[in-house]
C-alpha cells in the first residue's frame, strides 16, 4: 500500500471537511439544546412566579393606593411632620440615646421607621424592666386562658426595646408592618420569593432570597443557550408565526418569536436580579478578606446604609435641633433631588449626628446621589457630597442596575412596557413546557418516561396557570374584606392557589387547565373594577374625573387583561373546534377506507347475485 500524495490528501480533506463541520455543528447544537432544555425545565415554575408577580410589582404603589382607596396624587407634606413624629414617639418610648432611621418608600411620602435600642444604660435598663414585666403579665394571662404565645413577625416588636413601623407623612397615619400589609407589598416580595423565608429552612442565608438568586443564575444559562440554539435561524424565523397550524407549531413559533423579542429584557432582568438578590453571596468574599468579615462595613461602603458608631457621651444635647428646619435647608441646597434615607445617631446626646442620603431626580441626573454628615452639637458639617454633582463609578453602577430593574425612570409608559414584556416572559415559559411535553410524548419514548414527563408538565402547568385567577381573586378579597393584614393576604392567596392547583393536577387535562384558568381569570379580572366601584363608589370615570390616576391605572389594567383574556379564550375555542372537526373528518375517511377494504368489490358481489337491482 503506497503513500498518499499531496493531491490525494487535499481531495480527502475537502471531502471530509463538510462531514467534520456537520458533526461539530451537531455536537454544539446538542450541547445548546440540552443545556437550554434542562435548565429551563428545572426552574420553569419558580421562574414563572417571579415573572408574573414581578410584572405586577411595577405598580406596587398604585396597587397600594387602589386597595386603600387613597390616591397618592403626588402626596405632599411639610418636613415639620418629622418633628411631630419624633415628639409623639418620645411620649411612648424614650428616644434618648437611640439610633433612628427613616427609609423613604418609592411614592415619596411614606417611610419605614426603625428605632433601635438605646445606648444609655439607664434608659436601656428601664426599658428591659418594663419589657420583662409586660412579658410576665402576658405569659400569666396566656397560661390562665390556656393560650400559647404567638411569635411576632416583621413589624412592631412589642416585647423588645425597639420599634419598626410604616408612617405616611402626608396623612400622618402610622401602621404596623403586618397590619398595613397590601397586595402591592405581597406581589413585590413574592417576586423574589421572600415568603419562603418563613418556612424555617436554615441554610445560613434567607432561603427565599437564595432560591431566587439561584433561579436567576440558571435563567441566565437558559437565555444564553437558547440564543445560541436559535442563532442560525433568528433571521429567517424571526417574523414567522403560524397561528392557523396545529398547536405544537403555534407553541414553537410563540416560544421562539417571543423569546427572541424579549431576550434583551429577560437578559437584563436575569443579570440585575443576580446582582440585587445574590449580592449577599457575592459580598461574602469581600467582607471576609477585605473587611475582616464585617459585612455591615461593606454595605456602608456601597452606600446602602450607615452603620457608623459614635461614642455615647452621657451628656444631654444643649443645642436646639429641629429636623424639619434641617431638611428644609438641605432641600434648598439640593433642589433637584429627593430624600432616600435619614439616619439619626445617639438622639438627644451631645454626640448626636444626622446622616442624610439623597438621590438626584431622574430627569436631572440618572445616577446622582448625595450624602451629608451633620454634627448637631456644634452645627458643623463633617462631610458633604451634592446629589447634583457628577456621580462616582459606584453611583452609576448602582443607579443603572436599580433604574433598569425597578423601571422608575420613565413614568407609566415604561412601567407598562415592562409589564407587557414580563407577561411575554410568562408565555415563553408556558410554551416551552408544552414543547418539551410534546417532544417527549412520542411512542419511541419508554412508557414510564412518558408518564413521568406528563405528570411533571401537568404539575408545572397547574402551578403556573392557576396563578392568574388566584391573583385576580385576591384583589377582590382584599377589597371586600373589612380588615386586611399579612396573615389574611397569605391565607387567601396561598390556600386558594394550593386548592386550585391540586384540583387541576388531579384532573390531568392540560388543555382544560389552560382554557379554564384563562376563562376564570379573565372573568375575575373584569369583575375587579366593578367590585371596586360598588364597594367604594370609585368607578373608572370617577377616578378619571378626580385625577386619581393610580387607582384608575389598576382598574384599567385589570379591565384590559380581562378583555384580552376573553379574546384569546375565544380564539382557543375556535381552534379547538377546527381541530375536532378535522379529526372527525379524518376518522370518518379512515373508517370508510377500512369498510371498502373489508367489503368485496361490487363486481364480485354482482357475480354472486343475479338480480341487477342489487348491483
Amino acid at each position: 500500500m503506497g503513500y498518499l500524495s499531496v493531491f490525494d490528501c487535499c481531495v480527502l480533506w475537502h471531502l471530509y471537511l463538510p462531514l467534520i463541520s456537520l458533526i461539530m455543528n451537531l455536537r454544539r447544537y446538542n450541547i445548546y439544546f440540552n443545556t437550554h432544555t434542562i435548565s429551563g425545565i428545572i426552574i420553569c415554575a419558580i421562574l414563572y412566579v417571579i415573572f408574573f408577580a414581578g410584572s405586577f410589582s411595577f405598580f406596587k404603589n398604585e396597587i397600594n393606593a387602589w386597595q386603600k382607596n387613597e390616591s397618592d396624587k403626588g402626596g405632599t407634606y411639610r418636613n415639620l411632620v418629622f418633628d411631630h413624629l419624633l415628639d409623639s414617639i418620645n411620649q411612648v418610648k424614650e428616644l434618648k440615646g437611640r439610633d433612628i432611621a427613616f427609609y423613604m418608600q418609592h411614592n415619596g411620602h411614606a417611610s419605614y421607621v426603625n428605632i433601635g435600642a438605646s445606648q444609655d444604660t439607664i434608659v436601656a435598663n428601664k426599658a428591659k424592666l418594663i419589657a420583662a414585666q409586660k412579658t410576665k403579665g402576658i405569659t400569666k394571662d396566656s397560661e390562665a386562658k390556656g393560650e400559647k404565645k404567638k411569635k411576632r413577625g416583621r413589624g412592631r416588636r412589642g416585647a423588645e426595646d425597639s420599634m419598626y413601623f410604616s408612617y405616611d407623612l402626608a396623612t400622618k397615619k402610622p401602621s404596623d408592618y403586618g397590619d398595613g400589609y397590601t397586595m402591592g407589598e405581597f406581589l413585590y416580595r413574592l417576586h423574589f420569593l421572600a415568603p419562603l423565608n418563613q418556612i424555617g429552612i436554615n441554610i445560613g442565608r434567607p432561603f427565599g432570597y437564595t432560591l431566587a438568586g439561584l433561579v436567576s443564575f440558571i435563567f441566565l444559562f437558559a437565555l444564553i443557550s437558547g440564543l445560541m440554539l436559535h442563532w442560525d435561524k433568528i433571521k429567517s424565523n424571526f417574523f414567522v408565526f403560524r397561528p392557523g397550524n396545529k398547536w405544537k407549531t403555534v407553541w414553537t413559533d410563540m416560544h421562539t418569536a417571543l423569546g427572541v423579542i424579549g431576550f434583551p429584557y429577560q437578559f437584563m432582568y436575569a443579570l440585575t436580579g443576580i446582582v440585587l438578590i445574590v449580592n449577599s453571596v457575592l459580598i461574602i468574599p469581600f467582607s471576609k478578606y477585605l473587611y475582616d468579615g464585617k459585612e455591615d462595613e461593606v454595605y456602608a461602603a456601597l452606600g446602602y446604609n450607615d452603620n457608623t458608631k459614635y461614642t455615647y457621651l452621657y451628656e444631654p444635647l444643649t443645642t436646639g435641633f429641629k429636623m424639619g428646619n434641617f431638611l428644609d435647608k438641605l432641600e434648598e441646597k439640593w433642589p433637584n433631588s429627593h430624600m432616600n434615607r435619614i439616619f439619626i445617631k445617639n438622639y438627644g446626646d451631645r454626640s448626636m449626628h444626622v446622616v442624610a442620603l439623597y438621590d438626584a431626580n431622574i430627569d436631572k441626573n440618572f445616577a446622582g446621589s448625595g450624602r451629608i454628615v451633620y454634627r448637631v452639637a456644634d452645627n458643623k458639617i463633617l462631610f458633604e457630597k451634592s446629589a447634583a454633582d457628577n456621580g462616582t463609578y459606584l453611583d452609576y453602577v448602582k443607579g443603572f442596575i436599580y433604574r433598569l430593574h425597578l423601571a422608575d425612570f420613565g413614568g407609566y409608559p415604561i412601567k407598562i412596557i415592562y409589564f407587557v414584556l414580563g407577561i411575554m416572559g410568562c408565555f415563553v415559559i408556558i410554551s416551552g413546557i408544552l414543547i418539551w411535553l410534546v417532544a417527549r410524548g412520542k411512542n419511541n419514548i419508554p412508557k414510564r418516561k412518558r408518564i413521568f414527563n406528563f405528570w411533571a408538565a401537568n404539575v408545572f402547568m397547574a402551578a403556573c396557570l392557576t396563578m392568574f385567577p388566584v391573583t385576580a381573586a385576591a384583589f377582590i378579597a382584599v377589597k371586600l374584606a373589612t380588615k386586611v393584614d399579612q396573615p389574611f393576604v397569605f391565607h387567601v392567596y396561598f390556600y386558594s392557589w394550593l386548592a386550585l392547583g391540586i384540583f387541576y393536577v388531579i384532573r390531568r387535562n392540560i388543555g382544560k387547565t389552560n382554557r379554564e384558568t384563562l376563562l376564570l381569570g379573565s372573568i375575575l379580572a373584569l369583575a375587579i373594577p366593578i367590585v371596586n366601584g360598588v364597594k367604594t363608589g370609585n368607578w373608572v370615570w370617577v377616578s378619571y374625573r378626580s385625577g386619581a390616576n393610580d387607582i384608575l391605572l389598576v382598574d384599567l389594567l385589570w379591565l384590559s387583561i380581562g378583555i384580552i383574556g376573553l379574546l384569546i379564550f375565544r380564539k382557543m375555542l375556535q381552534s379547538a373546534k377546527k381541530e375536532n372537526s378535522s379529526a372527525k373528518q379524518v376518522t370518518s375517511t379512515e373508517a370508510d377506507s377500512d369498510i371498502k377494504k373489508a367489503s368485496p368489490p361490487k363486481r364480485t358481489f354482482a357475480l354472486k347475485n343475479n338480480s341487477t337491482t342489487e348491483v
Side-chain angles (χ1 to χ4, degrees), residues 80-105:
L80 187 65
V81 70
F82 284 94
D83 296 306
H84 292 314
L85 175 60
L86 293 174
D87 292 339
S88 300
I89 297 174
N90 198 30
Q91 295 177 6
V92 179
K93 185 182 290 290
E94 189 173 357
L95 294 180
K96 184 178 180 181
R98 300 180 186 271
D99 289 350
I100 306 170
F102 297 92
Y103 301 94
M104 298 301 297
Q105 299 182 34

Side-chain angles (χ1 to χ4, degrees), residues 162-202:
S162 59
M163 299 175 68
Y164 184 89
F165 60 95
S166 177
Y167 188 79
D168 194 314
L169 299 169
T171 61
K172 300 181 181 179
K173 292 181 180 179
S175 62
D176 184 86
Y177 180 81
D179 294 337
Y181 207 70
T182 61
M183 277 300 298
E185 180 72 9
F186 171 76
L187 292 172
Y188 169 72
R189 297 184 64 79
L190 180 63
H191 101 275
F192 50 85
L193 309 182
L196 294 181
N197 296 337
Q198 303 182 15
I199 63 178
I201 298 179
N202 185 11

Side-chain angles (χ1 to χ4, degrees), residues 45-248:
I46 299 177
L47 189 65
Y48 184 93
V49 174
I50 292 175
F51 265 93
F52 190 88
S55 299
F56 282 92
S57 66
F58 293 127
F59 307 105
K60 174 185 175 182
N61 296 326
E62 289 75 15
I63 294 173
N64 295 343
W66 178 89
Q67 177 179 329
K68 298 176 181 178
N69 198 35
E70 297 175 356
S71 177
D72 287 340
K73 294 182 182 180
T76 58
Y77 63 90
R78 296 179 60 189
N79 290 323
L80 187 65
V81 70
F82 284 94
D83 296 306
H84 292 314
L85 175 60
L86 293 174
D87 292 339
S88 300
I89 297 174
N90 198 30
Q91 295 177 6
V92 179
K93 185 182 290 290
E94 189 173 357
L95 294 180
K96 184 178 180 181
R98 300 180 186 271
D99 289 350
I100 306 170
F102 297 92
Y103 301 94
M104 298 301 297
Q105 299 182 34
H106 293 296
N107 58 11
H109 61 82
S111 173
Y112 290 120
V113 184
N114 186 25
I115 301 176
S118 177
Q119 296 192 53
D120 192 298
T121 55
I122 299 175
V123 177
N125 292 334
K126 187 188 300 183
K128 289 179 181 179
L129 180 61
I130 295 174
Q133 292 175 352
K134 288 183 178 179
T135 305
K136 187 176 181 181
I138 293 173
T139 305
K140 288 182 178 180
D141 293 340
S142 300
E143 291 177 355
K145 297 179 181 180
E147 298 175 353
K148 293 183 179 180
K149 185 179 178 181
K150 295 181 180 180
K151 293 183 179 181
R152 305 285 295 186
R154 182 179 177 182
R156 194 185 298 268
R157 299 161 176 84
E160 301 176 6
D161 189 26
S162 59
M163 299 175 68
Y164 184 89
F165 60 95
S166 177
Y167 188 79
D168 194 314
L169 299 169
T171 61
K172 300 181 181 179
K173 292 181 180 179
S175 62
D176 184 86
Y177 180 81
D179 294 337
Y181 207 70
T182 61
M183 277 300 298
E185 180 72 9
F186 171 76
L187 292 172
Y188 169 72
R189 297 184 64 79
L190 180 63
H191 101 275
F192 50 85
L193 309 182
L196 294 181
N197 296 337
Q198 303 182 15
I199 63 178
I201 298 179
N202 185 11
I203 57 175
R205 296 283 168 181
F207 175 71
Y209 300 159
T210 305
L211 181 60
L214 181 63
V215 169
S216 300
F217 195 75
I218 299 176
F219 180 48
L220 194 62
F221 275 93
L223 284 174
I224 296 175
S225 58
L227 183 67
M228 300 302 295
L229 181 66
H230 298 289
W231 182 259
D232 294 334
K233 296 183 179 180
I234 283 179
K235 184 176 180 180
S236 60
N237 293 351
F238 187 81
F239 296 102
V240 174
F241 189 69
R242 294 158 288 185
N245 288 20
K246 56 185 180 179
W247 277 111
K248 183 180 181 298

